[in-house]
Amino acid sequence: MAIREACKELGTFQLDGCEIYTSCEPCPMCLGAIYWARPEKMYYANTKVDAANIGFDDQFIYEEIELSLSERKLKCEHLLNDEALVVFKEWSEMQDKIEY
């Protein structure tokens, strides 16, 4: 929510030159959002180990991300790539798209 609000306030999709403060080292989902927003620096208080010690254990996800798709617990199947690429091509050729 903080990232969304900051982007809204600044009128941009990216937080170039900004800093973000968090109460804890971000979970994988929040960390992805932070990277996507591209702030310059992040400050955090508690570590992911501190979070795990009180029951917020995201270590499983951190470990899964390191694995190849075929090794992950969540089974993944790549399909319809040619059809999906058509949509990407159409988007890339749009003249009125909003890039982010």
Side-chain angles (χ1 to χ4, degrees), residues 87-95 97:
V87 176
F88 272 22
K89 183 176 185 305
E90 289 173 1
W91 184 87
S92 69
E93 294 173 351
M94 285 177 56
Q95 298 301 311
K97 67 181 171 246

Side-chain angles (χ1 to χ4, degrees), residues 7-88:
C7 288
K8 182 179 175 184
E9 184 72 25
L10 296 172
T12 181
F13 291 112
Q14 296 181 348
L15 300 177
D16 299 323
C18 295
E19 298 175 345
I20 188 167
Y21 293 78
T22 70
S23 60
C24 187
E25 192 172 353
C27 74
M29 183 174 62
C30 292
L31 186 59
I34 291 167
Y35 268 102
W36 203 334
R38 294 176 179 83
E40 186 174 310
K41 188 169 184 177
M42 177 181 70
Y43 300 90
Y44 63 93
N46 294 300
T47 68
K48 61 185 175 184
V49 173
D50 297 330
N53 288 338
I54 64 162
F56 294 108
D57 190 1
D58 297 315
Q59 189 59 38
F60 168 73
I61 300 170
Y62 290 113
E63 291 170 4
E64 284 284 297
I65 291 170
E66 299 283 328
L67 300 174
S68 68
L69 289 174
S70 64
E71 296 176 297
R72 293 182 186 173
K73 301 270 188 278
L74 176 62
K75 300 303 174 203
C76 302
E77 183 177 346
H78 184 199
L79 50 84
L80 300 173
N81 191 218
D82 291 337
E83 294 83 350
L85 285 173
V86 170
V87 176
F88 272 22

